[in-house]
Every structure is written in structure tokens, then in C-alpha cells.
Amino acid sequence: MFKKPVHWIMYGGIWVLMGLYYTTWDMVAYRMPFLSVLPMNLLQNAVWALEGLVILRVAQRFPIQSFSLKGLPAWIINLGTGFVLACLGLGIAWLISLAFQEPEMRAKILQWPWKNLLRFFFTYLHSTLILMWAVLGGFHGFLLYKGMKARELEAAQLEASLTLARNQMLLAQFQPHFLFNALNSISALIHTDPQAADRMVARLGDLLRLNLDAEASQELPLEKEMALVDAFLAIEKVRFQDRLEVEVDIPPGLARAPVPKFLLQPLVENALKHGLAPRARPGKLLIRATREAPWLTLEVQDNGAGFEGSREGVGLRNTRARLLMLYHENHRLEIFSVPDKGTRVVVRIPLH
């Protein structure tokens, strides 16, 4: 019933306090010395404590779980047990009080034992019954609270497992998406510039190694995320040759800031594919990180053709979905675009 010793101590302590309360009540009502009525009240409350254990056991065996007709038997069993134990306890309490009486008073009481017993019974029945049912109500309240917490924990664990599964699925989509694009670029170069295609294959190998070495967690330090982006840009520079200028502005103090794994790579890929690749002239890519408490702000900006809101692709949709699952509403992803002057993607995530 009680799994820890401290629970037994607390339970016994409650009944000792009840004994002290009734002792003071008798002391005031009957003008009796405190120590003369203390043993009687402690002994009577010991009886109530034992009966309370019976009530708790019955409540465990037949828990009240609803107010419907289906739960009526449990109500009858619990309330009926409380009534029977209250009557039994009153009889025992009367015998205890009788044992503590002076001999003359005990003799008077025993002249009409049933009359005195019934008077004692009806004097204390209502308070005793309330006490027994209060124990029942308190225990069932505890059971309901415990069940509610268990359901909340189960729901949270289920949501976390579903979120993790969906996140892993989205994460798994990034790499094939990138690999297909990289292989297409290699295929385009292999006949026109075999040396460039060879360098691209080597950089692709470096990138795959970094991916394999990446941590299994959903977040990784910004410096490691940038190592993946650098490997990716090394491949793209082969394809762009001298048409791509990259500027990275990340303060040293933010190098260890946690960011979602593969957050920047699809944003950089979009900037190159949709912003700079269509241009014939050289383009510039800027990657910036700033601290704007409580946010870590990451920006990817190009000076290309600009973003059209209606053509949000797989990479951007997956990025939004991952941010939502990782940070719920506690994040921002905004796209600022000026046609022919470039696109700036701003991501704000909690800085921790």
C-alpha cells in the first residue's frame, strides 16, 4: 500500500495529530487534565488508523472511477465499508473510553450499558462517518491525480516518440536530395571538364565522411554545421568556378552554439540553385550568425534573382517542419526578397 517508510511515518503522524486534537477537545469540553485523556485518545486513533488501512485496501481493490451507473457497485462497496468500519470503530472506542473511566463512573455506565453505548454511538457517528469517508475521498483524489499525471506522461512520451520519428524521416530526406543534385552536377561536368568533375567527386567524399561522423543528436555545434556547409560549398565552387563568392560572418563566441543538424545546408543549396545559378554574372553568398538574446539568428543571403513565395520547395518545407518539431512555436523562419537584388533567409532559434 505504502511503498516507502516515509509514507508510513506520514500516515501514522496524521493519526497522532488527530489524537492530540481530540485530547485538547476533551480537555476543554470536560475540564480534564491533558495527560489523563491523552492515552485514551491515542489508543482510539490507533484503532481508526488500522481501520483506515482497511478502507484504503478496499479502495485499491474497488476504485471509484466514474459517476455513472457502471461505477455504482464501487460506490456502494466503498461507502458501505466506511459505514461498517465507523460503527465497529465506535464500539471499540466506547470500550476503550470505558476502560479509562474511574471505577465509580464505569460502574454507573455498566448499569445501563446499551443505553450508554447508543448515546455514545449517535453522538459520534456523524463525525466518525465523515472522517472515514474523508479518508476515502482523499485516497481516491490521490488516485485520480496519479492517473491524470500518468496519462499526461504517456501522452508526452507518445508525442516525443512521434516527433522524433517524423524528425528522423525529414532529416533522412535531406541527404538524398543533396546527393541527387551533386551527382547531376558531376554528370554535367564529367564530359566538359573532367578535372573539375574529379575534384567534385573528391569533395563529395569529404562531405559524406563528415555526414557519417556527425553526431546522432538532433542538434550539433554551429562550427560542425559550418564544416558540413563548407564541404558542400567546396563542391559547388567546382561547379560555379569563379562565379561564386562566399562570405562567412560568425563570431567566435557562437561557434559552439547548438543548431539543428543540416539546418544551413538546404538554405545554402536554395540560394545557389534558385538565386545565383540562373545568373550569368558572378554572385555572392553571405552566411551570418548573430546573438539577439534570447535568439540565435542565422542568415543566408544571396544577391541573385530574388525569391518567389509560391515556389517554396522540399528543402524549405522540411526545414520549417523540423524547426516546428524541435522548438514548437519558439522559432522564426522568415524570407525577405527583392527581385533582382537577392533573397535573405533569417532563422531565429533559442540560444542555449
Side-chain angles (χ1 to χ4, degrees), residues 44-227:
Q44 287 175 335
N45 277 277
V47 174
W48 299 128
L50 293 174
E51 291 195 340
L53 293 177
V54 176
I55 284 183
L56 295 181
R57 179 61 70 184
V58 171
Q60 275 187 323
R61 180 68 179 83
F62 304 98
I64 297 173
Q65 296 177 325
S66 70
F67 292 95
S68 63
L69 287 177
K70 185 179 178 181
L72 186 59
W75 280 91
I76 294 173
I77 292 172
N78 279 271
L79 296 180
T81 301
F83 180 79
V84 171
L85 287 177
C87 295
L88 178 63
L90 282 173
I92 297 174
W94 181 76
L95 292 175
I96 292 173
S97 67
L98 188 65
F100 279 86
Q101 299 294 331
E102 295 292 337
E104 295 80 10
M105 179 62 69
R106 187 184 307 120
K108 288 182 179 179
I109 293 173
L110 291 178
Q111 286 180 353
W112 299 281
W114 285 107
K115 180 181 178 181
N116 283 285
L117 174 60
L118 290 176
R119 180 185 299 168
F120 182 88
F121 182 84
F122 287 113
T123 301
Y124 295 103
L125 177 62
H126 67 289
S127 59
T128 304
L129 204 53
I130 290 174
L131 181 64
M132 291 292 106
W133 288 349
V135 173
L136 271 175
F139 184 73
H140 278 95
F142 172 74
L143 287 182
L144 291 174
Y145 174 78
K146 192 175 176 182
M148 181 186 69
K149 286 296 180 184
R151 287 191 294 274
E152 287 180 354
L153 178 62
E154 185 180 1
Q157 289 175 336
L158 179 60
E159 182 181 358
S161 64
L162 289 174
T163 299
L164 180 62
R166 291 183 60 194
N167 207 359
Q168 294 289 1
M169 181 189 70
L170 292 172
L171 198 58
Q173 289 181 3
F174 282 129
Q175 296 181 44
H177 186 66
F178 161 72
L179 284 175
F180 289 143
N181 290 338
L183 291 174
N184 284 335
S185 298
I186 294 171
S187 177
L189 285 172
I190 200 164
H191 299 293
T192 59
D193 191 348
Q195 291 184 344
D198 184 61
R199 291 197 300 274
M200 205 165 176
V201 170
R203 299 293 180 270
L204 181 60
D206 293 339
L207 181 60
L208 292 176
R209 179 178 53 78
L210 286 171
N211 273 279
L212 291 174
D213 292 341
E215 299 173 8
S217 61
Q218 297 295 332
E219 293 181 324
L220 76 176
L222 179 56
E223 61 183 0
K224 290 190 176 182
E225 175 70 6
M226 281 307 302

Side-chain angles (χ1 to χ4, degrees), residues 159-318:
E159 182 181 358
S161 64
L162 289 174
T163 299
L164 180 62
R166 291 183 60 194
N167 207 359
Q168 294 289 1
M169 181 189 70
L170 292 172
L171 198 58
Q173 289 181 3
F174 282 129
Q175 296 181 44
H177 186 66
F178 161 72
L179 284 175
F180 289 143
N181 290 338
L183 291 174
N184 284 335
S185 298
I186 294 171
S187 177
L189 285 172
I190 200 164
H191 299 293
T192 59
D193 191 348
Q195 291 184 344
D198 184 61
R199 291 197 300 274
M200 205 165 176
V201 170
R203 299 293 180 270
L204 181 60
D206 293 339
L207 181 60
L208 292 176
R209 179 178 53 78
L210 286 171
N211 273 279
L212 291 174
D213 292 341
E215 299 173 8
S217 61
Q218 297 295 332
E219 293 181 324
L220 76 176
L222 179 56
E223 61 183 0
K224 290 190 176 182
E225 175 70 6
M226 281 307 302
L228 293 169
V229 172
D230 288 342
F232 170 74
L233 286 173
I235 295 172
E236 293 299 324
K237 283 179 179 176
V238 173
R239 186 161 65 95
F240 277 78
Q241 297 182 346
D242 57 353
R243 291 195 302 117
L244 176 61
E245 179 186 354
V246 177
E247 179 182 345
V248 177
D249 180 13
I250 297 178
L254 294 178
R256 301 293 300 169
V259 298
K261 185 163 54 179
F262 303 129
L263 171 67
L264 291 176
Q265 185 265 324
L267 302 181
V268 170
E269 184 180 348
N270 278 345
L272 299 181
K273 182 178 179 181
H274 302 295
L276 301 180
R279 292 162 49 109
R281 60 182 185 277
K284 183 177 180 179
L285 175 71
L286 170 64
I287 302 172
R288 177 187 294 132
T290 54
R291 181 197 304 269
E292 298 177 8
W295 306 104
L296 169 65
T297 300
L298 302 166
E299 298 178 52
V300 177
Q301 183 175 359
D302 66 77
N303 61 350
F307 176 77
E308 296 179 6
S310 60
R311 60 178 175 85
E312 195 167 291
V314 174
L316 207 50
R317 290 200 304 272
N318 283 355

Side-chain angles (χ1 to χ4, degrees), residues 2 5-19 45 49:
F2 298 122
V6 66
H7 294 160
W8 286 102
I9 294 173
M10 291 175 62
Y11 181 78
I14 290 173
W15 289 104
V16 169
L17 289 175
M18 292 291 293
N45 277 277

